[in-house]
Amino acid sequence: MSNKVKLLIGGEFVESRATEWRDVINPATQEVLAQVPMCTADEVALAVAAAKKAFPAWRATALAERARVFLRLQQLIRDHMDELAATLTSEQGKTLADAKGDVFRGLEVVEHACSIGTLQMGEFAENVAGGVDTYAIRQPLGVCAGITPFNFPAMIPLWMFPMACVCGNTFVLKPSEQDPLTPMKLAELAQKAGLPPGVLNVVHGGPESVNAICDHPDIKAISFVGSVNVGTHVYRRASEHGKRVQAMLGAKNHAVVMPDANKAQTLNAIAGAAFGAAGQRCMALSVAVLVGEAKQWIPEIVEKAKTLKVSAGVEPGADLGPLINRGAKARVEKLIAQGVEEGAKLELDGRHPDVPGYTAGNFVGPTVFSGVKPSMHIYKEEIFGPVLCLVEVDTLAEAIEFVNANPYGNGTAIFTQSGAAARTFQHDIDVGQVGINVPIPVPVPFFSFTGSRGSKLGDLGPYGKEVVRFFTQTKTVTSRWFDDETTAGKVNTTIALR
Ligand code: NAD
């Protein structure tokens, strides 16, 4: 039975007129779940027109009224958590528990959006000159857009449209064509929550729809999350058209393991962060830098990795599910082979795991390399699979230098019981998100997501206070009032306010 993924335009769920459609596939079974349209520029233009039409009334809607929509949305997401997680697991592959985590981390942003009353407040300075006050107000931009990756089909759309819309903008979302069913369920819930028609619109597809978003003159700002190559293209193309762009990109995240770290906790943290979600997280831990005597922990890291169960995300006890598609699996297997050829020691080979009942799934099990060098492809490339590279150094200073030499700056962590080592690391490491005995230091939404260097283009991150600045423009007002008794003063021909 055909299940065609709809577009959301002007409050209506409509069928696309696209001539090209792609299958949405369950990566554990290869079952075809739905067909997603590869939208053309014409359909993007329809979505933008609907968003543009909805903007004046939504901009004029009271702040508290806008916040109430998101209060209702957060409750609806809670009520539909199981259904959202099941859909997410079926199209993305991660375990049900992790799928709930994906929804939950997005839900936290929706909760945060409800505080927009204080988040969007401006500033006021009284009497900046005689009888003159200056104040700054944050106003919405207009039509904004979001382009999201496959790996967090709930969390990342929820990073974007709730904060953009609660600020008074209208929005066009282009989710990943590989798992559009979860974002569509969220869009349905947003409509149910009372988001007026046209405030949120959804189109689908790949390069053509993304390029149309970059080029459309009525789109003011784009939030992109995805790979370095695509994100750099989007950043450049949209910036050329004068748009604001924030692009959160790929990564290579290192953990530094000091010999005084709590061993049991550290081994668990490394395994969870390296292999969870089959390594398909931008904050996945892909390199562990073992300092001094921590080099001797390699056999235990490998033993811990072996305890993880590879299976379909719906199976009880599964720790990691399949990779998103066959191409991703082939690419990860190729990189593992390259690692061997280039001289790294393959401590644990996760290729071709035995997964009873799911022989067609795109599975790769936990894989561990030691003796990894910066020149190797397994180190230089973002593998986006369950592959952990181990590097050995003698001192914390060497470890910091090693991490800082990597071009990416998304996340990093140190494992230690020494406050002094942690303090040195926190201060000297050139990475945007730092964990101290926390392997995946993604900040909660009161802060912003702050990947840096090669992991980000643009200066403001998703959610938190930064995203309110991203999705608003500041207007400053300088005012002076005269009462009837004020007598005319002198003409002031200077620029100074007196
Ligand atoms: P991707 O770059 O392939 O796709 C992202 C979006 O771009 C999708 O919506 C896709 O349809 C679109 N797209 C793909 N190819 C395109 C092209 N040639 N032209 C225009 N648009 C195109 O990324 P992905 O594989 O879906 O996601 C994984 C990547 O995302 C990893 O590199 C990961 O590190 C990164 N990521 C980063 C963060 C972060 O916050 N830094 C978070 C999640 C994922």
Side-chain angles (χ1 to χ4, degrees):
M1 199 181 72
S2 121
N3 175 14
K4 292 187 164 174
V5 183
K6 300 275 198 297
L7 314 180
L8 172 60
I9 296 185
E12 303 286 329
F13 289 93
V14 294
E15 191 162 310
S16 167
R17 300 214 184 115
T19 50
E20 191 193 342
W21 293 71
R22 296 236 178 116
D23 289 341
V24 180
I25 294 172
N26 180 327
T29 62
Q30 310 303 335
E31 179 197 353
V32 175
L33 303 170
Q35 279 83 36
V36 64
M38 296 288 110
C39 290
T40 59
D42 290 349
E43 284 180 325
V44 171
L46 286 177
V48 177
K52 191 177 178 186
K53 188 169 164 217
F55 179 61
W58 182 242
R59 176 186 193 270
T61 301
L63 259 178
E65 190 53 44
R66 296 204 298 254
R68 266 177 222 125
V69 172
F70 292 94
L71 270 173
R72 290 192 290 270
L73 179 59
Q74 65 80 29
Q75 187 59 49
L76 284 167
I77 292 173
R78 280 176 203 283
D79 295 345
H80 291 78
M81 178 62 91
D82 289 345
E83 182 192 332
L84 284 162
T87 302
L88 202 159
T89 292
S90 72
E91 63 177 346
Q92 203 277 349
K94 63 180 70 173
T95 65
L96 279 171
D98 201 26
K100 282 186 187 169
D102 188 330
V103 178
F104 185 77
R105 294 306 301 255
L107 171 62
E108 289 185 310
V109 181
V110 182
E111 291 170 345
H112 190 56
C114 301
S115 311
I116 193 64
T118 46
L119 288 172
Q120 204 171 339
M121 271 182 185
E123 293 173 310
F124 193 103
E126 193 188 31
N127 219 32
V128 294
V132 177
D133 300 332
T134 296
Y135 47 99
I137 50 184
R138 294 195 186 287
Q139 296 193 314
L141 302 171
V143 181
C144 300
I147 299 159
T148 59
F150 80 83
N151 63 332
F152 283 97
M155 179 181 82
I156 295 180
L158 290 174
W159 279 4
M160 296 181 182
F161 80 81
M163 292 307 295
C165 295
V166 83
C167 288
N169 300 289
T170 55
F171 204 76
V172 176
L173 175 69
K174 206 300 287 174
S176 170
E177 70 280 26
Q178 301 194 74
D179 45 16
L181 304 177
T182 310
M184 286 316 287
K185 281 198 185 294
L186 292 169
E188 281 167 30
L189 296 180
Q191 297 307 108
K192 253 195 199 168
L195 208 54
V199 173
L200 171 65
N201 304 273
V202 188
V203 295
H204 299 287
E208 188 171 350
S209 54
V210 168
N211 289 339
I213 288 171
C214 294
D215 296 348
H216 200 296
D218 288 334
I219 293 180
K220 306 294 180 204
I222 299 178
S223 183
F224 171 91
V225 179
S227 62
V228 170
N229 286 346
V230 179
T232 304
H233 162 75
V234 166
Y235 184 83
R236 290 197 181 135
R237 188 159 176 155
S239 301
E240 265 180 27
H241 290 285
K243 299 182 198 317
R244 277 184 196 189
V245 191
Q246 58 173 208
M248 310 311 295
L249 310 173
K252 196 81 183 173
N253 307 304
H254 299 63
V256 170
V257 182
M258 299 298 287
D260 68 348
N262 177 311
K263 197 191 248 183
Q265 295 286 349
T266 304
L267 294 177
N268 283 335
I270 291 175
F275 308 122
Q280 298 176 118
R281 293 176 176 143
C282 68
M283 290 288 281
L285 177 60
S286 41
V287 185
V289 184
L290 308 176
V291 180
E293 285 170 17
K295 292 174 196 169
Q296 289 161 19
W297 297 10
I298 293 175
E300 287 146 294
I301 292 172
V302 173
E303 284 315 304
K304 185 58 80 175
K306 283 183 187 165
T307 64
L308 299 182
K309 182 176 167 188
V310 183
S311 191
V314 291
E315 290 298 327
D319 292 302
L320 57 150
L323 295 169
I324 186 68
N325 57 44
R326 286 187 166 146
K329 175 175 182 265
R331 182 177 165 274
V332 171
E333 289 171 347
K334 188 174 158 210
L335 276 161
I336 296 172
Q338 235 170 337
V340 175
E341 278 161 30
E342 290 176 352
K345 184 172 177 208
L346 186 55
E347 303 271 358
L348 178 64
D349 186 355
R351 288 173 292 183
H352 316 297
D354 184 23
V355 187
Y358 296 94
T359 46
N362 311 321
F363 295 100
V364 175
T367 298
V368 181
F369 278 107
S370 64
V372 175
K373 303 283 175 245
S375 58
M376 296 175 177
H377 281 85
I378 48 170
Y379 182 77
K380 285 192 293 193
E381 289 193 29
E382 182 185 36
I383 300 178
F384 230 53
V387 181
L388 174 65
C389 296
L390 301 177
V391 172
E392 295 153 53
V393 299
D394 293 325
T395 63
L396 175 60
E398 269 180 72
I400 291 173
E401 195 181 322
F402 188 88
V403 178
N404 286 350
N406 190 282
Y408 292 108
N410 219 31
T412 188
I414 185 168
F415 291 91
T416 183
Q417 303 214 45
S418 156
R423 175 64 176 70
T424 300
F425 185 76
Q426 162 205 306
H427 189 260
D428 291 346
I429 206 75
D430 190 6
V431 174
Q433 302 177 107
V434 178
I436 297 176
N437 299 312
V438 172
I440 303 193
V442 176
V444 293
F446 324 122
F447 296 87
S448 298
F449 190 94
T450 53
S452 64
R453 294 198 284 134
S455 296
K456 179 185 190 179
L457 287 168
D459 64 349
L460 296 167
Y463 63 80
K465 289 184 189 140
E466 290 194 6
V467 95
V468 176
R469 293 183 58 201
F470 181 74
F471 283 126
T472 57
Q473 56 196 334
T474 307
K475 186 183 275 177
T476 52
V477 181
T478 303
S479 75
R480 169 181 272 163
W481 294 89
F482 304 105
D483 58 31
D484 288 345
E485 275 77 55
T486 310
T487 52
K490 277 172 57 184
V491 173
N492 180 9
T493 54
T494 73
I495 197 171
L497 284 170
R498 300 206 173 105

